[in-house]
Amino acid sequence: MASNPHVLVISFPVQGHINPMLQFSKRLASKGLMVTLVATSTISKSLITDNGPVKVVSISDGSEDSPKQQWDSSLNESKESSDNESKEPLDGSKVESNEPSKELHGSPDDKAKDRWSRYQPAVSQGLIELIERNKDSCNPFKVLVYDSMMPWCLDIAHQQGLKGASFFTQSCVVSLLYHHVYAGTMQLPNDGSIVSVPQLSVPLKVRDLPSFIYNTGTNPAIIKTVVDQFSNFKEADWLLFNTFDKLENEVVNWMREQWSIKTIGPAIPSMYTDKRVSNDKEASEEAKLPVDFMSKTPKGRCLIVNWCSQLQVLSHEAVGCFMSHCGWNSTLEALSLGVPVVAMPQWTDQTTNAKFIVDVWQMGVRVKVNEKEVATREHIEACLKEVMEGEKRNKLQINALKFKEFAKVAMDEGGSSDNNISDFISSI
Ligand SMILES: O=c1ccn([C@@H]2O[C@H](COP(=O)(O)OP(=O)(O)O[C@H]3O[C@H](CO)[C@@H](O)[C@H](O)[C@H]3O)[C@@H](O)[C@H]2O)c(=O)[nH]1
């Protein structure tokens, strides 16, 4: 009897990518597939070992001599420098800035570049060895599901005789915008007015775009990574997006006419949506806070924990709103659990996610920043009051609950994402 197809999954080594790819792996396993998740050495120690039917194998990423969590710290350093950098949009137009330009010494981007230059060869070699070793097993890998930010994995898959599925961990809207940058079809207005994106009816200002598009400054390595997602995407056998149809209908429909995309989300543990995957409760991360954050925070007025399951907190009935940086997973989690958001985006796709939370899905408010781009305590307080006590609260709550229902239906039997996952499996 033929055994169930064996799928190999590899994610970019940061939490916001690992979580959805692990959840997708569990979903595939619940539908009978054999799934192996690759944990590269930087992240393998922080990944919980019991992932149910998903087998986790570790390969080297060339970081063994470097401190743990190098990717996260590298990205954080790059974020800090990006907060201070000069603004020069990818298309060559100008965006005005009030900030003085800073001369940067030993740019964090160099560190990211250096780490990335070691990462790719080491992971490529490890991946090839893993696939080759597995060829002699009773159930060799048939498909490599790889993070869209590592498009070079597709060449490895095809050279090794596997099919390749590119997994996008960000929204379809954000991916569409990066695709425009890749294809050279995005013009940024010089005066900060509306950006023309024919596929979107919602008007986007320059600052609603992912920050990497209008704020290129010192992160060329990271910017190259997000834009290069599209370097070979048409050669992938599948394009999987962690979103669901009703959330991004307009852009999903447009993309579907151009490319063979499959929406498979929200990729969060089943117990928070359709409850059909057993023992699927936990995702994991060590939260990081500034060193003096605890001592500066008044006692008895809040609870600070090193780490908690964000999903467990969000699903608690006492939670009235979620103040979030608007990472795509956090956005999907808030939507899927029906919790209104106080959006405080920092960089990357978070700015666009915040725009959609506030103006399209209308289930949150956004903290204003002052002329120095700082969110003040007064603005934060005003937003919290607006969501918790204001006239808007009912409307935000109703919209949030509407998307909670949509997310559940999408993942439940016969829902759009569930059907797409089944189609993916049957086409392997
Ligand atoms: O104490 C914690 C902290 C985090 N989480 C989880 O960790 C994940 C965080 O993901 P996300 O909200 O997407 O944030 P980032 O980790 O910052 O994600 C990165 O990757 C995302 C996907 O590409 C992008 O959307 C973000 O902008 C980028 O910062 C979520 O599943 C959270 O539930 C916890 O469970 N507990």
Side-chain angles (χ1 to χ4, degrees):
M1 196 177 84
S3 42
N4 290 335
H6 194 171
V7 176
L8 184 63
V9 179
I10 183 163
S11 135
F12 195 77
V14 294
Q15 196 70 47
H17 292 237
I18 300 159
N19 282 5
M21 295 191 76
L22 174 61
Q23 294 312 322
F24 181 63
S25 301
K26 289 186 180 179
R27 183 66 65 165
L28 294 181
S30 78
K31 287 177 178 275
L33 265 64
M34 198 171 162
V35 187
T36 297
L37 179 80
V38 178
T40 55
S41 36
T42 308
I43 56 160
S44 60
K45 288 183 202 122
S46 57
L47 203 66
I48 52 172
T49 44
D50 180 12
N51 285 295
V54 176
K55 187 178 165 198
V56 178
V57 295
S58 182
I59 63 173
S60 168
D61 57 16
S63 69
E64 279 73 5
D65 299 331
S66 314
K68 188 174 161 300
Q69 310 249 335
Q70 59 168 344
W71 272 101
D72 279 353
S73 61
S74 156
L75 292 176
N76 286 338
E77 284 164 12
S78 292
K79 192 217 159 290
E80 278 157 27
S81 87
S82 117
D83 292 342
N84 298 315
E85 72 202 11
S86 60
K87 320 283 193 256
E88 198 169 313
L90 281 174
D91 74 344
S93 60
K94 295 281 172 211
V95 173
E96 289 192 10
S97 165
N98 298 313
E99 297 162 29
S101 67
K102 261 194 180 177
E103 199 178 330
L104 292 161
H105 303 281
S107 153
D109 193 65
D110 291 340
K111 293 184 194 168
K113 232 185 287 176
D114 177 51
R115 287 162 185 171
W116 194 234
S117 69
R118 276 183 282 133
Y119 182 89
Q120 184 173 335
V123 171
S124 298
Q125 188 188 334
L127 206 51
I128 290 167
E129 285 169 9
L130 177 67
I131 294 170
E132 286 186 340
R133 266 200 318 275
N134 183 264
K135 279 181 179 161
D136 298 329
S137 75
C138 56
N139 195 358
F141 302 123
K142 278 221 165 119
V143 175
L144 178 65
V145 178
Y146 62 94
D147 197 306
S148 60
M149 299 218 183
M150 307 196 298
W152 39 272
C153 287
L154 181 62
D155 295 335
I156 295 175
H158 284 169
Q159 281 157 15
Q160 292 293 322
L162 275 63
K163 287 185 175 179
S166 185
F167 188 106
F168 289 75
T169 60
Q170 300 188 350
S171 73
C172 278
V173 166
V174 166
S175 300
L176 170 76
L177 296 170
Y178 284 143
H179 180 264
H180 272 299
V181 173
Y182 178 78
T185 47
M186 177 175 287
Q187 295 293 322
L188 298 191
N190 284 324
D191 58 0
S193 57
I194 301 301
V195 183
S196 165
V197 184
Q199 296 81 9
L200 296 178
S201 56
V202 57
L204 294 182
K205 292 188 180 153
V206 170
R207 290 297 171 123
D208 296 324
L209 301 173
S211 66
F212 292 149
I213 295 181
Y214 62 79
N215 190 353
T216 53
T218 56
N219 293 309
I222 301 178
I223 291 164
K224 184 169 168 10
T225 301
V226 295
V227 174
D228 275 1
Q229 292 177 99
F230 297 94
S231 58
N232 62 358
F233 80 115
K234 288 184 187 161
E235 288 149 40
D237 299 281
W238 299 273
L239 302 172
L240 308 175
F241 284 84
N242 182 21
T243 188
F244 55 100
D245 290 7
K246 283 211 165 170
L247 190 60
E248 301 192 87
N249 228 343
E250 190 178 35
V251 65
V252 165
N253 287 340
W254 182 84
M255 281 183 154
R256 209 167 257 151
E257 283 168 16
Q258 323 298 313
W259 311 303
S260 177
I261 71 156
K262 290 196 186 303
T263 50
I264 54 77
I268 67 173
S270 168
M271 74 157 290
Y272 298 103
T273 50
D274 59 311
K275 302 184 172 53
R276 289 185 302 144
V277 182
S278 56
N279 291 326
D280 185 18
K281 191 174 169 187
E282 297 295 335
S284 79
E285 178 177 328
E286 281 176 31
K288 299 155 216 98
L289 290 171
V291 187
D292 54 357
F293 193 83
M294 303 282 263
S295 57
K296 283 188 175 168
T297 306
K299 299 272 175 300
R301 293 185 51 194
C302 63
L303 177 66
I304 299 172
V305 293
N306 285 333
W307 181 92
C308 63
S309 163
Q310 185 171 289
L311 282 157
Q312 259 182 293
V313 174
L314 288 179
S315 61
H316 196 282
E317 60 184 355
V319 171
C321 79
F322 175 28
M323 186 161 167
S324 173
H325 74 317
C326 305
W328 184 236
N329 297 287
S330 295
T331 302
L332 284 177
E333 288 164 15
L335 284 158
S336 305
L337 293 167
V339 182
V341 173
V342 172
M344 205 161 106
Q346 306 292 298
W347 70 332
T348 175
D349 59 332
Q350 296 151 16
T351 37
T352 312
N353 299 340
K355 165 75 181 173
F356 275 69
I357 285 170
V358 175
D359 290 337
V360 179
W361 307 315
Q362 299 183 16
M363 43 90 69
V365 298
R366 181 171 179 165
V367 177
K368 290 190 180 68
V369 291
N370 65 18
E371 65 287 350
K372 291 183 180 149
E373 301 205 20
V374 171
T376 62
R377 69 182 77 182
E378 290 78 17
H379 283 142
I380 293 172
E381 185 187 5
C383 284
L384 289 170
K385 283 196 165 146
E386 203 178 352
V387 175
M388 295 299 288
E389 306 165 353
E391 282 172 27
K392 254 193 187 172
R393 171 148 186 93
N394 270 355
K395 191 178 149 205
L396 298 175
Q397 183 85 61
I398 287 168
N399 285 336
L401 290 174
K402 182 176 80 182
F403 282 104
K404 175 180 180 177
E405 183 59 21
F406 287 164
K408 179 176 170 293
V409 170
M411 292 309 288
D412 213 344
E413 192 164 2
S416 54
S417 295
D418 183 57
N419 283 342
N420 287 336
I421 295 170
S422 299
D423 285 353
F424 168 65
I425 292 171
S426 49
S427 61
I428 289 178

